Amino acid sequence: MAKMRDRLVRSACFGLLGLALCGALPARAITIKNARAKMGSPFEITVVTADEAAAWRAIEAGWSEIDRIEALISSWRETSETSAINRAAGGEPVVVSRELLDLVARAIKVSRLTGGAFDVTFGAVGRLWDLKADPPRLPEPAEIAAALELVDFRAIELDPAASSVRLAKPGMRLGWGAIGKGYAANRTVAMLRAQGAAGGLVNAGGDIVAFGHQEDGSPWKIAIAHPLRPQQVFAFLEVEDQAVVTSGDYERYAEIDGVRYAHIIDPRTGWPVRGVRSVTVVCPDGELADALATATFVMGVTDGLTLIDRLNGVEAMVVDDEGVIHYSQHLEQHIREEPAP
Ligand code: AMP
Ligand code: MG
């Protein structure tokens, strides 16, 4: 066990996950955690600092950053830049902040990288699948076909010189459900670092970005929920300066006529994805991990892991609907499975 742990710690610092850079800790370090509801999900910020006052300064700056991002990008907020773009779909370009323009540009890049499995314009078809409706209903095939015409990341027009975004077709929508929490977690970590935190974790509704170490100098231990029994820990990953992001159908789903429908939609068919229970992606960037977890979920075990294996410094674990776990090339050796209770 100790040998295994040593190996994990070593690999977390130097290994294939590209962790490296074990930074300095303050002489006396304390850890403070704080949980709040943000972006419609439970969030938690953990910081390691020299004293309590510094910890709370960092934590409050982190929450403010998350609030700022939510106000900027949320498609649920009428006053956000995203809503302005969505309202103007098919019309004039909308001038936006550099930050939103860059976020859209990166989303288009990941859409291209994943062959459209992740598509930031999925919303036109996504809104047909209201899993919270009581009772939930299946959309008509004609509704799905019409909505699919509006799901097309290639029809996003970016003008970097004018800092503007235009959705080419009326009814198109941008939605950040698959990437926004990862982005928020990244930015929050940057804020905590800027506030002088030596280490910390941002858990954005289950999307985790870790930096530095725990107060005793050891790597962060990220628990991975059991895909078939989400209340139970299935495995631990020890990480520093890494994101660990899970997309799972247990997070949000509806059952209609005994069939389970997940909240992740295949933009090629307009139907919720089946065949995968959960995908966990590990890489240094929370936003990329978030987008890739959703995309891998859509692509399925074989195509998803083929893509992950092509990407440097990105690892993933996919659980199929039989509960069988599939690992990318280098991940299995970094996972410490918990014995079943
Ligand atoms: P995640 O939990 O990161 O996998 O994100 C899932 C959320 O992303 C869903 O609840 C939808 O809001 C949105 N979404 C669903 N399918 C897609 C897709 N194929 N591409 C982009 N966003 C999606
Ligand atoms: Mg995601």
Side-chain angles (χ1 to χ4, degrees):
M1 187 62 141
K3 208 169 142 204
M4 174 78 164
R5 192 174 177 286
D6 281 357
R7 205 183 75 208
L8 279 160
V9 173
R10 236 189 358 259
S11 59
C13 285
F14 306 115
L16 293 158
L17 293 171
L19 298 170
L21 292 181
C22 301
L25 282 170
R28 193 177 67 85
I30 60 156
T31 307
I32 302 225
K33 282 184 196 203
N34 188 232
R36 294 185 194 171
K38 298 282 174 195
M39 298 182 152
S41 298
F43 276 45
E44 188 173 66
I45 296 180
T46 306
V47 288
V48 177
T49 53
D51 62 66
E52 203 171 327
W56 284 107
R57 266 197 310 277
I59 288 171
E60 288 303 338
W63 291 131
S64 303
E65 181 65 352
I66 291 166
D67 290 341
R68 187 190 67 75
I69 291 167
E70 192 172 8
L72 176 75
I73 73 172
S74 172
S75 57
W76 305 105
R77 301 256 184 116
E78 294 241 325
T79 49
S80 72
E81 291 191 355
T82 301
S83 292
I85 296 168
N86 290 348
R87 272 194 302 272
E92 293 298 309
V94 176
V95 175
V96 296
S97 61
R98 198 81 220 170
E99 182 176 356
L100 198 84
L101 188 89
D102 291 347
L103 185 63
V104 176
R106 292 195 303 275
I108 293 172
K109 225 167 132 183
V110 184
S111 298
R112 211 172 281 131
L113 176 73
T114 62
F118 166 90
D119 191 323
V120 69
T121 68
F122 88 100
V125 76
R127 48 189 278 282
L128 300 179
W129 294 96
D130 180 6
L131 302 182
K132 288 191 205 116
D134 189 18
R137 71 170 190 105
L138 289 180
E140 298 297 329
E143 285 178 283
I144 293 182
L148 278 181
E149 295 289 317
L150 305 174
V151 177
D152 183 5
F153 67 90
R154 294 172 198 84
I156 306 172
E157 297 169 5
L158 281 192
D159 182 344
S163 194
S164 70
V165 181
R166 176 174 183 270
L167 304 177
K169 307 172 197 173
M172 272 183 80
R173 302 172 57 79
L174 296 180
W176 301 104
I179 193 173
K181 293 196 194 81
Y183 175 60
N186 274 358
R187 292 294 306 229
T188 307
V189 163
M191 182 60 88
L192 300 177
R193 280 186 189 279
Q195 292 285 322
L201 282 181
V202 176
N203 182 341
D207 295 358
I208 296 168
V209 181
F211 70 102
H213 318 101
Q214 301 198 61
E215 65 178 54
D216 64 0
S218 64
W220 296 101
K221 250 173 96 178
I222 312 285
I224 298 179
H226 195 289
L228 305 180
R229 294 179 291 280
Q231 301 313 322
Q232 193 181 310
V233 172
F234 148 74
F236 285 101
L237 256 178
E238 296 194 1
V239 297
E240 294 164 31
D241 301 321
Q242 290 284 317
V244 180
V245 172
T246 298
S247 284
D249 83 345
Y250 51 82
E251 289 168 11
R252 230 171 305 151
Y253 65 91
E255 246 175 55
I256 308 174
D257 300 332
V259 179
R260 199 174 156 120
Y261 292 94
H263 63 128
I264 298 175
I265 311 287
D266 187 335
R268 294 162 296 196
T269 64
W271 278 74
V273 177
R274 305 191 54 189
V276 174
R277 269 285 151 107
S278 77
V279 176
T280 300
V281 171
V282 185
C283 76
D285 177 347
E287 177 189 321
L288 181 67
D290 198 355
L292 288 176
T294 309
T296 304
F297 197 101
V298 172
M299 294 169 85
V301 176
T302 309
D303 291 354
L305 286 177
T306 302
L307 171 68
I308 297 290
D309 283 335
R310 264 179 41 215
L311 303 173
N312 268 339
V314 182
E315 300 296 337
M317 174 184 119
V318 182
V319 182
D320 67 23
D321 58 0
E322 313 266 275
V324 178
I325 302 169
H326 308 261
Y327 294 98
S328 63
Q329 266 165 16
H330 306 299
L331 190 62
E332 193 164 7
Q333 56 199 310
H334 296 278
I335 292 265
R336 181 152 66 78
E337 283 186 34
E338 283 294 284

